[in-house]
């Protein structure tokens, strides 16, 4: 991912889904993938997430510097809203052993 902001957006969008659906292994795996991208490609050392009625706020530490990004909740929660509206299209398949 070229842009740190894009990587954070993608991580946050799927993290919200993963947090709401802890049994969703695909969401968890995708969250882990984006966390790895943030660490490996963007040198993000840590992340802090906050939200209010309108926005999500993500503060990252990158190479010792703190940076904050803001995203509208309706933009971030669109995937979760879609899953909730049509759950039959987003079934969780258990991992094979």
């Amino acid at each position: 991912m070229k842009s740190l902001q894009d990587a954070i957006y993608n991580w946050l969008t799927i993290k919200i889904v993963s947090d709401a659906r802890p049994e969703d292994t695909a969401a968890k795996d995708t969250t882990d993938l984006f966390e790895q991208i943030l660490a490996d490609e963007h040198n993000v050392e840590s992340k802090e997430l906050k939200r209010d009625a309108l926005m999500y706020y993500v503060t990252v530490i990158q190479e010792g510097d703190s940076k904050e990004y803001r995203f509208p909740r309706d933009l971030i929660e669109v995937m979760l809203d879609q899953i909730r509206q049509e759950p039959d299209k987003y079934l969780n398949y258990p991992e094979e052993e």
Side-chain angles (χ1 to χ4, degrees):
M1 271 211 182
K2 296 183 180 178
S3 159
L4 175 57
Q5 182 172 341
D6 288 347
I8 292 170
Y9 167 81
N10 288 322
W11 164 79
L12 180 57
T13 301
I14 196 63
K15 178 175 178 24
I16 298 308
V17 172
S18 182
D19 288 352
R21 296 170 40 110
E23 76 289 349
D24 188 332
T25 54
K28 167 87 172 78
D29 291 347
T30 306
T31 301
D32 292 345
L33 171 69
F34 282 113
E35 287 181 354
Q36 197 66 48
I37 289 169
L38 287 169
D40 293 348
E41 294 182 21
H42 298 285
N43 300 316
V44 170
E45 300 160 18
S46 66
K47 301 171 290 307
E48 181 181 329
L49 175 60
K50 295 180 183 177
R51 73 177 180 198
D52 62 23
L54 298 176
M55 304 290 280
Y56 281 94
Y57 304 90
V58 179
T59 303
V60 298
I61 305 296
Q62 181 188 42
E63 299 176 356
D65 293 326
S66 176
K67 298 178 182 179
E68 183 178 86
Y69 296 84
R70 300 180 314 162
F71 301 93
R73 282 186 68 162
D74 59 341
L75 181 66
I76 295 301
E77 294 173 358
V78 69
M79 183 183 295
L80 181 58
D81 292 343
Q82 184 176 7
I83 290 169
R84 287 179 173 159
Q85 289 172 9
E86 300 180 89
D88 55 313
K89 290 185 178 181
Y90 301 94
L91 299 176
N92 184 43
Y93 296 96
E95 291 186 32
E96 294 184 23
E97 296 182 27

